[in-house]
Amino acid sequence: MKVIIQRVTKASVTVGEEQISSIGRGLCVLLGISVEDTQKDVDYMVRKILNLRLFEDENGRAWSRSVMDRELEVLCVSQFTLQCILKGNKPDFHSAMPAELAQPFYNNMLKQLREAYKAELIKDGQFGAKMQVLIQNDGPVTIQLESPAGPTDPKLLSKQEKQQQRKEKTRSKGPSESSREKAALRSKADPSASSGAEGDVSSEREP
């Protein structure tokens, strides 16, 4: 799941000539649902949207309060184009969840947001409609989030995610064979180093 969160002074959604939703100060959330998304992605995003500290506190200190802390509004807008993958210059949206599945998924996320916060402060657009979204960004402050429970296909993983996976595997395996071999060679080359190290350990245990 990909989400763009913007801190706003106001935001609204218009369909045709009718304004169907609007908020004052708070967050405007553009939300793109992936074919791979599960309830874990919903849980993660709900927690982040409501708890990100994007607002100042009572003393004006920045990045100190969340939208819940300040009791501000949230406007959610479903936007499948966030799942775009470019093929040359043409956008491809096959990574987005099909509308017939995405709509109940999106509605469930709205329900969870309303249950976790104040229902009357969570607004939304009109799923599947052609909307005009007016966003008056405050700052500007824009945060891009992607849920960690995303696709595991190596072709879709970012370089950073691959590096993190390698680091985790290295930590779980402990010292590598090459590291142990190097340590053994050092011990053979300098026997006193090994005994000295043991002496240090002994002296630490028995002062």
Side-chain angles (χ1 to χ4, degrees):
M1 187 182 297
K2 295 180 180 179
V3 167
I4 302 293
I5 300 174
Q6 297 183 68
R7 188 179 72 185
V8 300
T9 52
K10 64 180 180 180
S12 64
V13 175
T14 300
V15 177
E17 299 298 321
E18 180 186 0
Q19 184 181 97
I20 62 169
S21 192
S22 66
I23 63 169
R25 192 158 192 240
L27 299 177
C28 183
V29 179
L30 306 177
L31 189 147
I33 302 170
S34 161
V35 291
E36 305 256 347
D37 286 339
T38 67
Q39 184 59 41
K40 288 183 179 179
D41 300 271
V42 173
D43 295 342
Y44 175 85
M45 284 303 181
V46 167
R47 186 170 66 251
K48 287 297 180 184
I49 290 167
L50 296 179
N51 290 286
L52 277 176
R53 292 182 292 179
L54 302 182
F55 299 92
E56 70 281 355
D57 64 13
E58 298 75 11
N59 299 316
R61 188 176 56 151
W63 319 114
S64 300
R65 295 289 183 266
S66 69
V67 71
M68 286 203 303
D69 294 331
R70 297 296 304 272
E71 297 187 336
L72 301 175
E73 296 176 288
V74 178
L75 174 61
C76 291
V77 180
S78 176
Q79 188 173 0
F80 73 91
T81 58
L82 287 175
Q83 293 294 339
C84 167
I85 296 175
L86 287 180
K87 292 187 175 180
N89 290 323
K90 183 180 179 181
D92 181 280
F93 303 112
H94 284 94
S95 291
M97 185 178 288
E100 62 273 16
L101 299 176
Q103 185 166 8
F105 192 95
Y106 173 70
N107 289 339
N108 175 59
M109 183 164 177
L110 287 174
K111 180 174 178 285
Q112 201 161 317
L113 280 165
R114 287 169 176 144
E115 289 174 348
Y117 188 27
K118 295 181 177 180
E120 67 275 13
L121 297 182
I122 303 294
K123 310 290 181 64
D124 71 297
Q126 183 176 323
F127 188 93
K130 182 170 181 175
M131 296 174 276
Q132 289 76 50
V133 184
L134 176 66
I135 300 171
Q136 188 166 300
N137 198 312
D138 178 22
V141 173
T142 301
I143 305 296
Q144 180 177 335
L145 292 179
E146 186 167 354
S147 55
T152 55
D153 183 346
K155 293 180 181 179
L156 299 179
L157 290 171
S158 67
K159 183 178 179 181
Q160 184 177 5
E161 289 172 323
K162 289 180 182 179
Q163 289 174 342
Q164 183 63 31
Q165 285 182 347
R166 284 197 291 268
K167 287 179 183 178
E168 290 174 357
K169 286 180 180 178
T170 301
R171 285 197 295 267
S172 65
K173 288 180 180 179
S176 64
E177 291 295 328
S178 59
S179 298
R180 287 194 288 269
E181 289 172 1
K182 288 178 182 178
L185 288 172
R186 282 197 299 270
S187 297
K188 290 179 181 178
D190 185 5
S192 62
S194 175
S195 60
E198 291 171 359
D200 291 342
V201 172
S202 175
S203 63
E204 287 176 4
R205 292 177 180 172
E206 299 178 13

